[in-house]
Amino acid sequence: MHKLRLMPLAPNYPVMLRTTDGVRLDGAHTPAGPGGSDVGIVLAHGFTGSWRCADTRRITHVLSRYGGVVAFDFRGHGRSGGRTTVGDLEVHDVAAAVRHARSIGYEKVAVVGFSMGAAVAIRYAALHRGADAVVAVSGPARWYYRDTPPMRRVHWAIERPLGRIAARIARRTRISSGRWDPAPMPPHEAAALVAPVPLLVVHGDADTFFPVEHAHQIFAGAKEPKELWIEPGYGHAESAARPGMIVRIGAWIEANLS
């Protein structure tokens, strides 16, 4: 097992990505640790997140022991342009990050997504066929879910003008006011199209946003090769992720792409 250095964080270098639909994305490249690697890892954050957040930076640091990491802000988030569509057009953002990873020499690319980023990672792998491995952490299986208090707050931010203003001011997240037309393929259906690329589904049994039934639905929809981890005591997405779990995710990527 790789030894884990908690401090200082691995260095990163700024990158500017451009999507095929013309959106500029703010991002960073953290090279692979000692010895280098031909594996690139694209890190896709959750709704209202950023590659600059401390939680995401720590995850990037751990994953850089297993490959070079390209992290970025989704459209409408942080310093990226455009407005977020909360899981639809964001597949173009992941595609831009994967293209960049390959352009700087990574021969194999894994996409690791958290929450909204998990849904986008699955949809990207299914529809664009550009990933060599996919890890979906704390992801929803279906759209419009609002059966938990945190998800009702998320829908308020997305659907109400006052909520969108609050998200822009408090979280630097600019949300599109348009509705999906048509609604994108839900993650549990897209999961069936990921194979033969290996898929790892990770979910916490203490997730307050999406109960574990979402992970089971994604896993049931997927075809082999696939793996499901239900993590005891793990909450939701980046903020609850502990280094030990990220180490195991890195080792899974390494084992599947070595």
Side-chain angles (χ1 to χ4, degrees), residues 9 31 35 86 92 155 168 196:
L9 293 178
V86 198
H92 299 303
H155 280 278
R168 185 176 71 243

Side-chain angles (χ1 to χ4, degrees), residues 121-143:
I122 290 172
R123 292 188 61 244
Y124 167 76
L127 303 177
H128 289 240
R129 312 298 298 174
D132 297 298
V134 179
V135 182
V137 186
S138 303
R142 51 196 183 274
W143 309 127

